[in-house]
């Protein structure tokens, strides 16, 4: 039997995603008692090449509450690809531990690790994808809108890893999705094409536009993320200029339906991609989504070990 991983939600069926969300809801309701022993006395390694607050803490807490042990393995000490090859790192780790939770720059590093080892691997963010964030967003939508799918999602900003993850989720679960991105910063064409194939099946809209106001016009949720992702710091000044018209602020939210919610994967840069009044406002669900990272990630671990 093929081992299970979470590399991208592109690999998951809509039914599996729905089951994960139901499981996450149950785990949330019963916290901290997971009523499952699938990860009891098992060990998960967190190997992160980039900084993190939410992902690191929620994975450690999830593993602990499932009765397992979490080890933080500093990526700078491992030096994957320098001190030893990515596949040699994987082939050693699989001899000692049961799960890898990995945050890398290149998505190819995650894929190499996953291909080289026999234990499950979870994508905790790569330059291309952030599936755990999308699952937390989906659980938050489910809590707000139930099983209804008539809640269009608008993403405003960079066609980055978080945009990809939300677009994949929307295409799989059947939400309308519109991304407003400046020229040259659209989602990856290959990921977009895969998502369009799913959206054609569900009959839902999947569009990339230039005008943020057009994107938010019928949105139930307006989502944004930083203009400069981790690893792109040398482009910060140029990006600030290019993305300035894509700020989520009161003027943009005035173009959206009055009930439209706002979210952000966090960390946020107040005054750049989102203004403080909107981030702190009552329509913002970013912290509910951050909280839900814990519950969906528990559900993912249970799924991988069941
Ligand atoms: N949203 C998110 O993944 O946050 P961290 O980078 O702090 O983990
Ligand atoms: N797009 C951001 C997301 C951080 C959670 C980054 O990759 O830095």
């Amino acid at each position: 039997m093929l081992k299970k991983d979470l590399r991208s939600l592109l690999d998951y069926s809509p039914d599996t995603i729905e089951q994960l969300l139901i499981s996450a809801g149950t785990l949330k309701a019963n916290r901290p008692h997971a009523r499952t022993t699938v990860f009891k006395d098992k060990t998960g390694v967190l190997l992160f090449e980039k900084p993190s607050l939410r992902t690191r803490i929620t994975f450690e807490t999830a593993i602990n509450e499932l009765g397992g042990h979490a080890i933080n393995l500093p990526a700078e000490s491992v030096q994957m690809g320098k001190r030893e090859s990515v596949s040699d790192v994987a082939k050693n780790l699989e001899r000692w531990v049961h799960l890898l939770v990995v945050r890398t720059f290149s998505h190819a590093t995650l894929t190499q690790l996953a291909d080289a080892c026999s234990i499950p691997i979870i994508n905790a963010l790569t330059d291309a994808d952030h599936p755990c964030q999308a699952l937390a967003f989906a659980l938050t939508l489910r809590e707000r809108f139930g099983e209804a799918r008539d809640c269009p999602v608008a993403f405003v900003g960079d066609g980055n890893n978080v945009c990809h993850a939300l677009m994949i989720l929307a295409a799989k679960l059947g939400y309308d999705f519109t991304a407003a991105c400046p020229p040259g910063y659209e989602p990856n064409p290959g990921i977009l094409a895969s998502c369009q194939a799913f959206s054609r099946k569900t009959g839902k809209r999947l569009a990339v536009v230039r005008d943020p106001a057009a994107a938010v016009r019928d949105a139930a949720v307006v989502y944004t993320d930083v203009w400069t992702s981790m690893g792109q710091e040398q482009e910060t000044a140029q990006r600030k200029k290019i993305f300035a018209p894509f700020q989520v602020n009161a003027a943009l939210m005035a173009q959206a339906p009055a009930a439209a919610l706002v979210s952000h994967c966090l960390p946020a840069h107040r005054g750049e991609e989102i203004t403080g009044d909107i981030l702190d406002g009552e329509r913002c669900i970013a912290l509910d989504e951050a909280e839900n990272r814990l519950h969906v990630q528990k559900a993912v671990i249970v799924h991988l070990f069941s």
Side-chain angles (χ1 to χ4, degrees), residues 226-292:
V226 290
W227 293 337
T228 302
S229 285
M230 293 179 278
Q232 299 171 331
E233 289 77 8
Q234 72 287 356
E235 300 172 23
T236 300
Q238 186 193 3
R239 283 172 172 266
K240 274 188 187 170
K241 280 189 212 144
I242 291 168
F243 283 98
F246 290 77
Q247 185 183 66
V248 173
N249 54 28
L252 183 64
M253 290 310 294
Q255 306 291 319
L261 303 171
V262 177
S263 201
H264 191 304
C265 59
L266 306 175
H269 294 165
R270 289 159 197 268
E272 293 184 23
E273 76 277 1
I274 190 164
T275 51
D277 56 330
I278 298 297
L279 189 65
D280 299 329
E282 58 184 19
R283 295 157 77 174
C284 185
I285 55 170
L287 286 172
D288 293 341
E289 183 176 323
E291 180 184 334
N292 281 335

Side-chain angles (χ1 to χ4, degrees), residues 105-107 123 125-130 160-162 164-165 168 191:
F105 287 95
S106 159
H107 193 79
N123 180 349
L125 181 148
T126 66
D127 284 351
D129 209 334
H130 198 5
N160 63 14
N161 45 8
V162 171
H164 291 158
I168 294 165
I191 297 175

Side-chain angles (χ1 to χ4, degrees), residues 206-234:
L206 199 169
V208 179
V209 301
R210 296 273 175 252
D211 179 11
V216 306
R217 200 150 288 143
D218 72 345
V221 189
V222 176
Y223 206 107
T224 191
D225 183 18
V226 290
W227 293 337
T228 302
S229 285
M230 293 179 278
Q232 299 171 331
E233 289 77 8
Q234 72 287 356

